[in-house]
């Protein structure tokens, strides 16, 4: 059984910062990629940032220069540092990971999501 648990969301003023965490637990053999998505009301879920096992990263254009993704492989945890937050960053943020379980099952897993609200 694999579980992803997000934390760090909340209410923040425009221009402020938050750091999201996503910890994977369970019978994990390998994690190939970890990503952050977000979904605003009435909109489709959007890939915000991703990091692969080789350390390569990618970001949606709207967050480049403001957000940074990193991972701690020893802890099976991915972080999203969000700076210079804007109201349009308001969304539910979801962690996603490509995980190989014990006994050879590889699949994508989702966290439950954490709310980020940027408002004055």
């Amino acid at each position: 059984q694999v579980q992803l648990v997000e934390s760090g969301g909340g209410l923040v003023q425009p221009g402020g910062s938050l750091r999201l965490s996503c910890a994977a637990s369970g019978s994990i053999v390998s994690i190939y990629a970890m990503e952050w998505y977000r979904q605003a009301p009435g909109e489709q879920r959007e890939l915000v940032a991703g990091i692969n096992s080789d350390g390569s990263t990618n970001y949606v254009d709207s967050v480049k220069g403001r957000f940074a993704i990193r991972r701690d492989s020893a802890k099976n945890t991915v972080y999203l540092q969000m700076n210079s937050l804007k109201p349009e960053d308001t969304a539910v943020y979801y962690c996603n990971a490509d995980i190989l379980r014990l006994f050879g099952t590889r699949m994508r897993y989702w966290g439950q999501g954490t709310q980020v609200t940027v408002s004055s």
Side-chain angles (χ1 to χ4, degrees):
Q1 186 177 7
V2 172
Q3 183 175 226
L4 303 181
V5 178
E6 301 103 330
S7 62
L11 175 65
V12 65
Q13 301 276 0
S17 298
L18 286 173
R19 184 177 64 199
L20 306 183
S21 300
C22 172
S25 62
S27 301
I28 297 170
V29 176
S30 300
I31 300 178
Y32 296 94
M34 302 189 82
E35 299 171 329
W36 287 98
Y37 289 75
R38 67 186 180 188
Q39 188 167 21
E43 300 184 13
Q44 291 189 315
R45 194 166 296 186
E46 172 189 44
L47 176 63
V48 178
I51 185 166
N52 293 311
S53 57
D54 65 358
S56 61
T57 59
N58 60 281
Y59 301 90
V60 67
D61 285 345
S62 61
V63 309
K64 288 181 178 178
R66 299 189 296 119
F67 291 10
I69 188 170
R70 69 177 184 89
R71 66 192 292 174
D72 185 337
S73 296
K75 298 180 179 179
N76 288 331
T77 299
V78 63
Y79 305 92
L80 185 66
Q81 179 66 48
M82 304 186 295
N83 300 320
S84 301
L85 283 161
K86 304 175 180 179
E88 50 263 46
D89 295 318
T90 296
V92 178
Y93 284 70
Y94 298 91
C95 180
N96 182 273
D98 183 3
I99 295 174
L100 175 64
R101 288 175 52 197
L102 271 178
F103 312 116
T105 303
R106 178 178 173 177
M107 63 180 292
R108 289 276 183 168
Y109 295 86
W110 289 99
Q112 277 67 47
T114 184
Q115 176 71 48
V116 172
T117 302
V118 185
S119 177
S120 59

